[in-house]
C-alpha cells in the first residue's frame, strides 16, 4: 500500500513541473519520502532545476495576468468597502460581524470561483528569457523554432507568449517533438490543443493513468507518437 496520497503527488507536480506518472513512480520508489523523490526526478532529468522558480509562469487560456488579477481584487475590495460603509451609515454595527480574517475567509468561500482545468493539463511554462537560458539559445533561435513547429508556444488571452515546460527534458527539447507538432498542425492550428494532446493524462479502463504522449516521446517511442498524432489530426480535420 502506498504511503503517500494523491495530494502529495499533486503538490510535488506543482513544485517541480513534472507529470503525474513519473511523479507517482518517484514517490513509490522513494517510499513516500518527498526529498528522495525530488532527487530521483532530478537524476532522471524530469525537473527544470536550472531555471529559477521566478521564471516559471502558470498562465492559461482565459486566465488573466497577475497584474489583472490584482486589479480585479482591488476593485472588488473597494466595492465591498463601499457597500459596507453604506450599511454602517444606515445604522449597522460592522464590528459585530466578528473577527475580520474569519469574515473575509467566509466571504471569499461563498464566491463562485471556478478553477481553470488548464493548470493541470499544461502545467508550468517558461517565459521566453527563461527558455533561452535553459536551452542556451538566442531569442531569434526560439522564434525560428516556433515558426518551424520545432518548439511549442502558447499565447494567453491577454497576449502573453509562454512555452510549456513539459517539452524540455534534461536541458533539451524532447526528441521528436517537431515531428509531432507538424503532424498535429495538419488538423488544427490551436497550439493549446497541441499542448493538451501532448500533456493531458488519460486513464485506462481501471482508472490508472496511462503514459502521456510527451512521456512516450521521452521514452523514445517517437514513430508511434507521430503515427497517433497523424491519426488524430486527420480526425480533427475531417
Amino acid at each position: 500500500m502506498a504511503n503517500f496520497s494523491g495530494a502529495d503527488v499533486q503538490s510535488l507536480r506543482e513544485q517541480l513541473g513534472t507529470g503525474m506518472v513519473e511523479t507517482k513512480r518517484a514517490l513509490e520508489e522513494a517510499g513516500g519520502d518527498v526529498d528522495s523523490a525530488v532527487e530521483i526526478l532530478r537524476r532522471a532529468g524530469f525537473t527544470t532545476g536550472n531555471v529559477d522558480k521566478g521564471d516559471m509562469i502558470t498562465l492559461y487560456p482565459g486566465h488573466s495576468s497577475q497584474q489583472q488579477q490584482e486589479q480585479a481584487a482591488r476593485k472588488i475590495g473597494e466595492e465591498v468597502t463601499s457597500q459596507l460603509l453604506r450599511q454602517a451609515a444606515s445604522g449597522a454595527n460592522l464590528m459585530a460581524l466578528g473577527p475580520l480574517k474569519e469574515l473575509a475567509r467566509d466571504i471569499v468561500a461563498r464566491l463562485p470561483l471556478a478553477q481553470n482545468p488548464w493548470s493541470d493539463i499544461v502545467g508550468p511554462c517558461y517565459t521566453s528569457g527563461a527558455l533561452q537560458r535553459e536551452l542556451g539559445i538566442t531569442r531569434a533561435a526560439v522564434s525560428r523554432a516556433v515558426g518551424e513547429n520545432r518548439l511549442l508556444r502558447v499565447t494567453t488571452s491577454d497576449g502573453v507568449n509562454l512555452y510549456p515546460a513539459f517539452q524540455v527534458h534534461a536541458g533539451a527539447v524532447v526528441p521528436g517533438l517537431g515531428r509531432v507538432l507538424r503532424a498535429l498542425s495538419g488538423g488544427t492550428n490551436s497550439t493549446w490543443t497541441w499542448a493538451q494532446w501532448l500533456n493531458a493524462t488519460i486513464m485506462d479502463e481501471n482508472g490508472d493513468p496511462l503514459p502521456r504522449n510527451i512521456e512516450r516521446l521521452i521514452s523514445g517511442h517517437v514513430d508511434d507518437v507521430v503515427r497517433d498524432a497523424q491519426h488524430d489530426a486527420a480526425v480533427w480535420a475531417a
Side-chain angles (χ1 to χ4, degrees), residues 44-236:
F46 279 112
T47 68
T48 52
N50 295 330
V51 178
D52 189 288
K53 275 186 173 291
D55 290 327
M56 301 301 288
I57 297 178
T58 49
L59 292 177
Y60 310 101
H63 263 205
S64 300
S65 67
Q66 182 65 26
Q67 182 179 9
Q68 289 174 316
Q69 296 275 31
E70 291 174 356
Q71 289 174 346
R74 282 195 296 271
K75 289 180 180 178
I76 292 171
E78 291 169 359
E79 184 60 31
V80 170
T81 299
S82 175
Q83 295 291 334
L84 288 173
L85 291 176
R86 289 176 187 173
Q87 293 295 323
S90 299
N93 181 6
L94 300 182
M95 301 307 297
L97 292 173
L100 297 184
K101 286 187 177 181
E102 292 183 12
L103 176 61
R105 280 196 296 267
D106 184 57
I107 291 173
V108 172
R110 295 173 183 271
L111 296 176
L113 299 174
Q115 298 297 317
N116 195 311
W118 285 95
S119 59
D120 287 330
I121 295 173
V122 177
C125 294
Y126 292 106
T127 61
S128 178
L131 183 65
Q132 292 168 44
R133 290 191 292 275
E134 177 72 357
L135 299 179
I137 60 178
T138 65
R139 180 177 182 179
V142 170
S143 297
R144 186 165 55 251
V146 170
E148 296 172 354
N149 283 339
R150 293 185 285 109
L151 196 61
L152 176 59
R153 181 176 68 193
V154 294
T155 304
T156 66
S157 60
D158 52 341
V160 178
N161 290 324
L162 298 172
Y163 305 82
F166 62 70
Q167 64 188 316
V168 177
H169 176 71
V173 177
V174 173
L177 179 67
R179 290 178 59 191
V180 172
L181 295 181
R182 287 188 287 276
L184 294 174
S185 68
T188 177
N189 291 324
S190 169
T191 55
W192 287 103
T193 300
W194 301 356
Q196 180 180 16
W197 190 92
L198 283 161
N199 203 50
T201 299
I202 299 175
M203 302 297 180
D204 63 16
E205 63 273 10
N206 297 318
D208 295 321
L210 295 170
R212 294 170 297 148
N213 287 317
I214 194 67
E215 292 172 332
R216 296 169 62 204
L217 277 181
I218 292 172
S219 298
H221 303 291
V222 177
D223 290 339
D224 291 340
V225 179
V226 170
R227 190 180 307 113
D228 290 344
Q230 291 171 336
H231 173 271
D232 288 347
V235 173
W236 298 339

Side-chain angles (χ1 to χ4, degrees), residues 9-59:
V9 176
Q10 182 62 24
S11 176
L12 194 55
R13 287 185 65 200
E14 293 174 353
Q15 177 185 342
L16 300 177
T18 49
M20 180 182 294
V21 174
E22 64 261 24
T23 306
K24 183 178 179 181
R25 288 174 180 167
L27 282 167
E28 289 173 346
E29 184 178 340
D33 183 76
V34 173
D35 291 337
S36 297
V38 170
E39 183 58 30
I40 290 169
L41 288 164
R42 290 196 189 282
R43 288 200 306 268
F46 279 112
T47 68
T48 52
N50 295 330
V51 178
D52 189 288
K53 275 186 173 291
D55 290 327
M56 301 301 288
I57 297 178
T58 49
L59 292 177

